[in-house]
Amino acid sequence: MFEEFSAGYYLGRLYVEPHDGDHAVMHPTDHERMNERLYATGEGVERLDAPLVMKLDGRHFPVLGEEGIPSGSLGLPPDVTETTLPDRCEVFLAKPARAAELLRYAGYDPGAVAGRAI
């Protein structure tokens, strides 16, 4: 789904659709699989529910897993992107170090959902 793009990002294509919630979401199985494949180190017990950090239209935002979203899709609330959402588009996924940095700068609290863009 995602491949190496640069030192800080992977690049992938997802179906992008509007979502009525207050944060970006994807199917929980996709979310967990991407967390495990791209963010986990393989050492000890690791969280697989941490937010993924994606970039679209020049804005970074945390993405959480949520039931009801089709596999291979990204659900975006109206405040995340200001362009008309295409059926399928290229999305950047921050690599672990970049994601941690962006979340830290945004003051992300792992116990709460951040509804704002980073």
Side-chain angles (χ1 to χ4, degrees), residues 46-66:
E46 297 179 290
R47 287 186 64 175
L48 297 179
D49 64 342
L52 301 170
V53 177
M54 294 191 179
K55 179 179 176 182
L56 180 68
D57 291 341
R59 294 181 67 191
H60 290 90
F61 48 89
V63 180
L64 302 171
E66 185 172 300

Side-chain angles (χ1 to χ4, degrees), residues 10-114:
Y10 299 103
L11 177 64
R13 293 185 64 80
L14 292 172
Y15 289 99
V16 180
E17 58 187 47
H19 175 64
D20 289 333
D22 61 352
H23 57 276
V25 294
M26 66 188 325
H27 191 277
T29 303
D30 290 348
H31 185 272
E32 185 175 310
R33 189 176 314 133
M34 290 173 70
N35 246 298
E36 184 174 29
R37 182 172 163 231
L38 303 175
Y39 288 2
T41 63
E43 298 176 10
V45 176
E46 297 179 290
R47 287 186 64 175
L48 297 179
D49 64 342
L52 301 170
V53 177
M54 294 191 179
K55 179 179 176 182
L56 180 68
D57 291 341
R59 294 181 67 191
H60 290 90
F61 48 89
V63 180
L64 302 171
E66 185 172 300
E67 292 293 336
I69 303 297
S71 182
S73 296
L74 177 63
L76 296 178
D79 66 332
V80 172
T81 184
E82 296 180 12
T83 62
T84 303
L85 296 174
D87 223 12
R88 190 172 168 155
C89 66
E90 291 182 337
V91 178
F92 293 95
L93 172 63
K95 290 185 175 179
R98 180 73 174 138
E101 175 184 44
L102 290 164
L103 291 170
R104 188 173 57 251
Y105 289 153
Y108 178 76
D109 174 7
V113 174

